Amino acid sequence: MKKLKRTVMTGELVEGSVYSEDVYIDGDNLFVPAGVAIRGKDIKRLVSLGIGAVETAGDIVTGSSSPEPMKKAPEPPPEKTAAKPAPKSAPEPRTTLKEIRDSKGPDNVYLDIVNEIGELCKRIEINAPIKAGDINDIAERLLQAVRNQRASFIGFILGENVKGHNLAKSSVNTAILSALIAIELKLKNHKVLQVVTGALLHDVGMLRMPKEIVEKRGGLSSAELQRIQAHTLHTYKIVNKELRYPDEIGAIVLQHHERWDGEGYPRQLSGQSIDIGARIVSVADAFEAMVSQKPYRNSMIGYQAMKNLLSDNLRRFDPDVVKAFIQTMGIYPIGSIILLNNGAIARVVNVQATAPLRPTIRILVDETGKVLKKDEGKLIDLLAEKRLFISRAVDPKEITGRNAG
């Protein structure tokens, strides 16, 4: 007779414990397989994602079912002199969140993650062994950073913070955008993390493609196009067979080039039959591709990329995903350069979900033509300042020679 699953609260899990049956998160998402010890960082990951319980039909076969009782602190010796009391030791941090929020500014966190993904890409390219755990750690750090410093991380998408590491930068930027969409769609925490992981890995199959095709300027022949389209299958093999990720992440990388109208690849899936994570990464990947410099074309400004997404008309993208993307990014994404009706030039620093045409901006060049240093310009909420409005988006190349922050 099949045993029923029971609930185990996250606070009851103990590092080193081994269960006789698989342990799951939210029904069918595997947390730890049967016979594998639970690690301390696995428990911390549950806490950081706000997951309060797991389920299993098994019993503990190794370790303890409850934490060791705290040892009572020894009584201080009787006072003989007016000795100063020993300082209390600082409490241990409960999770790694403090370490993530720490210490480093968003620029350094972003650059570190791009460089780490870049190194992993090099290893994948030469078939060197890598651990899924290394990617999991990066995905968790990136997601937490996006939650804590949302505006800064959106700003990196249109910035030029990294030279080289093109695939790594594209993967990280796609993961940032995918996280924002998944959060806006109110997906469960563990699903958001799966989407971020899938986004980081969505194009690693390109590393096994001939460089002369990947970097070719101009059109591709039919045979070359077929080779490129096969990258989703190579990616799936890397993710599923080499890294041993579950099918939830495999589906994201395999299906992210499927189209809402069924004209995509590799299986011509359509509509809701495409995995939600793949639908999210599809939109994020398309936007990132449009605003990034490529060997075969120039980058597009964020406003024009947004217009292209809005004009999709149910061809490539899930309309609900596009709507969530616009709500979280605005029509003029953070980092966009815009011209105001009074002639001033500004950078978008925050967006309003309810008023996508009225973001918060920082002046870079005032209406008299005075160029302002970084963070010196006035911060203006266009939702409150009704007399000002955006005339048009500006390509940063148009203001070369001016200090645009």
Side-chain angles (χ1 to χ4, degrees):
M1 182 176 173
K2 189 175 180 180
K3 293 175 69 176
L4 295 175
K5 290 181 185 178
R6 62 188 177 87
T7 298
V8 181
M9 302 306 293
T10 298
E12 297 172 2
L13 296 174
V14 179
E15 183 176 1
S17 294
V18 176
Y19 283 81
S20 59
E21 300 286 344
D22 293 344
V23 182
Y24 294 91
I25 302 169
D26 192 38
D28 297 323
N29 292 285
L30 184 63
F31 171 54
V32 176
V36 175
I38 296 175
R39 302 170 299 176
K41 69 178 184 179
D42 294 329
I43 299 171
K44 288 178 180 178
R45 180 157 58 94
L46 292 179
V47 174
S48 69
L49 293 172
I51 296 171
V54 295
E55 294 179 325
T56 182
D59 299 309
I60 292 179
V61 293
T62 305
S64 167
S65 60
S66 59
E68 288 185 19
M70 291 182 66
K71 293 180 180 178
K72 192 174 180 180
E75 294 290 330
E79 285 191 19
K80 293 183 180 179
T81 61
K84 292 181 180 178
K88 293 181 180 179
S89 59
E92 290 287 324
R94 291 187 303 161
T95 71
T96 56
L97 292 181
K98 183 178 181 300
E99 297 168 12
I100 296 167
R101 287 174 186 153
D102 65 10
S103 66
K104 287 188 174 182
D107 287 65
N108 288 332
V109 173
Y110 176 78
L111 291 172
D112 283 351
I113 289 174
V114 171
N115 286 326
E116 288 171 41
I117 291 293
E119 291 305 312
L120 288 171
C121 286
K122 289 179 184 176
R123 297 184 67 81
I124 291 172
E125 186 173 9
I126 62 173
N127 287 288
I130 62 173
K131 297 176 182 176
D134 295 337
I135 300 166
N136 294 341
D137 289 343
I138 294 171
E140 289 168 20
R141 282 163 43 215
L142 180 60
L143 176 56
Q144 199 59 49
V146 170
R147 289 187 187 277
N148 292 340
Q149 296 166 316
R150 178 179 172 278
S152 295
F153 275 77
I154 294 175
F156 296 141
I157 308 299
L158 299 182
E160 294 295 330
N161 300 70
V162 180
K163 301 297 182 186
H165 278 326
N166 291 335
L167 179 61
K169 180 183 175 184
S170 170
S171 299
V172 172
N173 288 349
T174 301
I176 292 169
L177 297 169
S178 297
L180 293 164
I181 298 169
I183 292 167
E184 182 68 25
L185 288 170
K186 296 181 170 53
L187 299 190
K188 291 183 178 180
N189 286 322
H190 75 273
K191 184 62 181 177
V192 177
L193 186 59
Q194 286 178 347
V195 171
V196 172
T197 305
L200 286 173
L201 296 169
H202 76 283
D203 265 350
V204 294
M206 285 290 194
L207 297 166
R208 307 274 173 90
M209 296 282 102
K211 278 190 168 54
E212 61 271 19
I213 297 178
V214 174
E215 297 176 359
K216 183 177 179 180
R217 296 173 184 271
L220 298 174
S221 68
S222 297
E224 289 170 336
L225 184 60
Q226 286 181 352
R227 293 283 300 274
I228 287 291
Q229 290 181 346
H231 83 273
T232 57
L233 300 172
H234 287 286
T235 304
Y236 179 79
K237 181 180 177 182
I238 293 167
V239 167
N240 192 258
K241 305 297 183 185
E242 298 178 25
L243 296 172
R244 299 187 180 279
Y245 273 111
D247 282 340
E248 289 87 352
I249 293 175
I252 293 171
V253 303
L254 182 64
Q255 299 175 18
H256 75 279
H257 279 295
E258 300 287 2
R259 291 171 50 124
W260 188 253
D261 61 7
E263 296 296 319
Y265 61 88
R267 295 177 178 170
Q268 291 77 53
L269 301 176
S270 64
Q272 300 286 342
S273 62
I274 306 169
D275 177 82
I276 180 60
R279 284 180 264 151
I280 289 170
V281 172
S282 177
V283 171
D285 181 44
F287 180 84
E288 196 283 330
M290 284 188 280
V291 299
S292 297
Q293 192 84 20
K294 302 292 181 185
Y296 46 86
R297 63 162 173 76
N298 292 329
S299 61
M300 189 180 292
I301 60 176
Y303 171 71
Q304 185 59 51
M306 281 294 179
K307 282 181 63 178
N308 286 2
L309 289 179
L310 283 169
S311 64
D312 179 65
N313 293 326
L314 304 177
R315 293 191 300 271
R316 290 182 61 187
F317 308 118
D318 178 344
D320 289 335
V321 173
V322 173
K323 180 180 177 182
F325 186 58
I326 299 298
Q327 286 174 331
T328 196
M329 290 288 285
I331 299 297
Y332 299 94
I334 291 173
S336 299
I337 309 298
I338 53 93
L339 176 70
L340 294 172
N341 59 308
N342 66 352
I345 296 173
R347 185 189 302 278
V348 175
V349 297
N350 212 342
V351 297
Q352 315 277 359
T354 56
L357 293 172
R358 309 292 292 180
T360 299
I361 60 171
R362 186 179 294 279
I363 300 297
L364 304 177
V365 181
D366 70 16
E367 61 269 33
T368 70
K370 180 182 178 182
V371 178
L372 303 168
K373 293 180 180 178
K374 185 177 181 180
D375 296 335
E376 186 182 273
K378 185 179 179 183
L379 203 62
I380 300 174
D381 179 357
L382 291 180
L383 195 57
E385 190 62 68
K386 302 295 185 184
R387 64 185 183 85
L388 292 176
F389 57 86
I390 295 173
S391 294
R392 65 178 176 90
V394 175
D395 190 326
K397 298 184 186 70
E398 292 183 38
I399 54 173
T400 301
R402 298 182 180 183
N403 180 4

